[in-house]
């Protein structure tokens, strides 16, 4: 039977909604949609690029706890309420994923809180 464990970030959303920041299932790591909140202070910038940077710090922390890095990401999904906010984030996203080249999708959709301007979800494969 493969290992399955939850990784929690301390976000109040995880407790209130009932989910984990990430789930490790054998060699697979599924990181939940992650926004630009700084979970230590539960604050969020108004700037979409700053939010993207914080999203990636939050995702990186979950990956690290799972035994992965951005190099192990095989799939990334970007969720934004306004598609025009996506392009300003490209340099930040490219810095993490430019060499990795995971499969990627960008979707324009509503997010849970109007302060949220980007949400990032990834799937990774743990190194053997």
């Amino acid at each position: 039977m493969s290992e399955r464990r939850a990784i929690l970030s301390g976000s109040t959303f995880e407790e209130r909604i009932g989910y984990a920041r990430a789930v490790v299932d054998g060699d697979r790591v599924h990181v939940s949609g992650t926004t630009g909140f700084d979970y230590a202070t539960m604050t969020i910038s108004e700037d979409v690029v700053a939010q993207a940077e914080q999203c990636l710090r939050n995702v990186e922390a979950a990956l690290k706890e799972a035994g992965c890095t951005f190099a192990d990401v095989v799939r990334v999904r970007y969720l934004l309420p306004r598609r025009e906010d996506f392009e300003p984030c490209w340099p930040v996203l490219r810095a993490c994923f430019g060499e990795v080249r995971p499969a990627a999708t960008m979707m324009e959709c509503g997010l849970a809180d109007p302060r949220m301007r980007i949400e990032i979800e990834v799937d990774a494969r743990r190194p053997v």
Side-chain angles (χ1 to χ4, degrees):
M1 182 154 217
S2 65
E3 167 196 15
R4 184 180 190 286
R5 68 180 167 97
I7 294 173
L8 304 176
S9 68
S11 163
T12 58
F13 297 118
E14 293 167 4
E15 181 62 32
R16 292 158 87 192
I17 299 170
Y19 70 96
R21 174 64 37 220
V23 173
V24 177
D25 187 15
D27 68 345
R28 306 292 177 162
V29 178
H30 308 278
V31 180
S32 294
T34 302
T35 64
F37 273 94
D38 177 334
Y39 298 132
T41 61
M42 286 308 291
T43 58
I44 191 167
S45 172
E46 292 181 15
D47 179 69
V48 70
V49 175
Q51 284 192 29
E53 293 168 337
Q54 185 63 51
C55 286
L56 292 167
R57 283 191 294 273
N58 296 340
V59 167
E60 184 176 36
L63 289 171
K64 183 177 179 182
E65 190 170 336
C68 293
T69 68
F70 285 123
D72 301 307
V73 172
V74 297
R75 180 89 171 123
V76 61
R77 292 171 192 85
Y78 304 107
L79 310 163
L80 295 95
R82 297 168 18 115
R83 69 179 174 272
E84 56 270 16
D85 280 347
F86 190 46
E87 191 170 349
C89 298
W90 289 359
V92 172
L93 305 174
R94 187 173 44 252
C96 289
F97 299 117
E99 297 297 316
V100 179
R101 304 282 179 139
T105 302
M106 180 276 184
M107 292 179 273
E108 183 178 19
C109 61
L111 298 179
D113 182 314
R115 296 173 293 173
M116 298 172 181
R117 296 184 60 193
I118 186 169
E119 185 169 318
I120 301 173
E121 172 186 328
V122 306
D123 295 312
R125 190 164 188 181
R126 293 193 313 163
V128 183

